[in-house]
Amino acid sequence: MTTDQESGRRDNGPQVVVRLDGVHKEYGDTKALDGMSLEIRAGEAVAVMGPSGCGKSTLLNMVAGLDRPTSGLVEVAGQDLGQLNETGLALFRRRHIGMIFQFFNLIDDLPALDNVALAAQLTGTSARQARRRALELLDELGIADRGNTYPAALSGGERQRVAVARALMNRPALLLADEPTGALDSRSGEQVMDLLIDLNQIGQTLLLVTHDRHLADRCASRLIEVADGRVARESALEPTG
Ligand SMILES: Nc1ncnc2c1ncn2[C@@H]1O[C@H](COP(=O)(O)OP(=O)(O)OP(=O)(O)O)[C@@H](O)[C@H]1O
Ligand SMILES: [Mg+2]
C-alpha cells in the first residue's frame, strides 16, 4: 500500500486510474457494496476475488459507470463519475473504458470486424478509420482472417479475442474483465490469459474479476479479496509468466 494522501500527482508515482472511497451500493435490502475503498494505478494489473455475491460485478459496474453508487466516491482517470449525467457517463465509458465479459456480449448479427469497429464509430470515428483500426487489432490478436465471420461461427476463444479487440478500440485508460475465461476451455482460456498479460506488459491497466486463482496468479500483480461488499485483504502477487 502507498502511504501518500495525494496520489494522482505526477511526482507521486504512476497516476491513479481508479479510486473508490467509501462506496456503498444497496439494492433494496441487499448491501452489494458496503464501504468499498481501493486505488489502482496506471499500469497495474489487479485481480479481484471473493465468494459469489460479495459484490465483484457490482464493483466493476460502478467503475464502468454502468450503475451509480448509493453513496461514496468513484473516480476513473481523474473524473468523478458522480459529476456526470447519463449522457456524460455513456460517453466517458465509450472513450475511456474497455470491458470484456464471461459470455463475450458480441452482437450476433454483425460480423467480427463490425463488432469491433462499432466501438469506435460510437465515439465519432469515421467508418473507414474505425474499420482500419479494427482490422489492425484483429491482426494483432491473431484473428485477422475471422473479420467477416459472424459470432455464432467463431470458437469461444475467437469470440473472446474479438471482444478484447472491441474493448481496445478506443485505447481505454482501463480494461475491465469479469470472468473473462469463465466460459472457455482451458486452452482458449490460457490464450486469453496470455493476451491479457501481453496487454499489461505494454502498459494497459487491468482490473480483472475472477473465481480462478490461476488466472489471478498469472495475469495480476496485486490481489484484492472482497468479502461482504468490502476489501477484506490486499496482497502482492509474484509474477509467474
Ligand atoms: N441489479 C441488481 N438488483 C438487485 N440485486 C443485485 C443487483 N446486482 C447485484 N445484486 C445483489 O448484490 C449482491 C452482489 O452481487 P454481485 O453480482 O456484485 O456479486 P458477485 O461477487 O459478482 O457474484 P458472482 O461471483 O456470483 O458473480 C448480490 O447479493 C446480488 O444478488
Ligand atoms: Mg459477478
Side-chain angles (χ1 to χ4, degrees):
M1 288 294 293
T2 54
T3 54
D4 57 287
Q5 296 298 307
E6 295 177 303
S7 39
R9 301 273 176 83
R10 262 188 220 97
D11 55 0
N12 234 339
Q15 191 199 349
V16 174
V17 176
V18 178
R19 171 183 290 134
L20 267 72
D21 193 10
V23 172
H24 292 254
K25 177 66 182 180
E26 278 141 39
Y27 295 105
D29 291 337
T30 305
K31 289 184 175 180
L33 297 179
D34 190 19
M36 179 166 286
S37 300
L38 58 84
E39 266 188 19
I40 296 170
R41 287 173 181 267
E44 274 199 291
V46 174
V48 174
M49 297 190 73
S52 186
C54 73
K56 304 179 299 294
S57 295
T58 306
L59 162 67
L60 284 198
N61 289 342
M62 297 295 136
V63 172
L66 286 166
D67 205 348
R68 293 178 186 274
T70 309
S71 64
L73 173 80
V74 179
E75 220 177 73
V76 179
Q79 171 70 54
D80 175 356
L81 299 192
Q83 299 293 319
L84 299 175
N85 63 18
E86 294 310 308
T87 314
L89 263 187
L91 272 178
F92 183 85
R93 184 166 59 242
R94 285 178 194 157
R95 292 209 175 116
H96 301 292
I97 293 172
M99 291 190 85
I100 57 177
F101 304 91
Q102 180 171 7
F103 296 108
F104 327 119
N105 296 16
L106 298 174
I107 299 172
D108 289 334
D109 32 347
L110 290 180
L113 185 70
D114 298 81
N115 260 282
V116 178
L118 186 63
Q121 287 174 260
L122 289 173
T123 64
T125 306
S126 74
R128 201 163 139 256
Q129 247 185 316
R131 287 176 73 83
R132 191 177 340 125
R133 168 133 177 92
L135 260 178
E136 263 170 37
L137 277 168
L138 290 183
D139 190 32
E140 280 168 30
L141 300 187
I143 46 171
D145 58 330
R146 309 304 268 153
N148 294 322
T149 307
Y150 286 82
L154 297 170
S155 72
E158 288 170 338
R159 281 181 217 176
Q160 197 58 301
R161 278 186 276 169
V162 172
V164 171
R166 176 183 59 184
L168 295 175
M169 267 305 270
N170 298 320
R171 301 180 172 85
L174 178 66
L175 181 61
L176 301 175
D178 200 347
E179 299 284 0
T181 63
L184 300 177
D185 61 79
S186 60
R187 188 163 156 273
S188 308
E190 292 291 335
Q191 287 172 353
V192 168
M193 288 183 210
D194 287 341
L195 187 55
L196 295 176
I197 293 167
D198 288 348
L199 288 169
N200 180 244
Q201 276 173 352
I202 59 171
Q204 178 68 56
T205 310
L206 205 62
L207 176 57
L208 177 74
V209 164
T210 182
H211 282 110
D212 179 359
R213 183 61 201 243
H214 173 63
L215 172 63
D217 280 331
R218 278 206 61 197
C219 299
S221 49
R222 185 151 65 93
L223 175 64
I224 295 180
E225 288 169 84
V226 173
D228 300 324
R230 283 184 228 182
V231 174
R233 206 156 79 102
E234 291 194 50
S235 48
L237 293 173
E238 292 302 321
T240 58

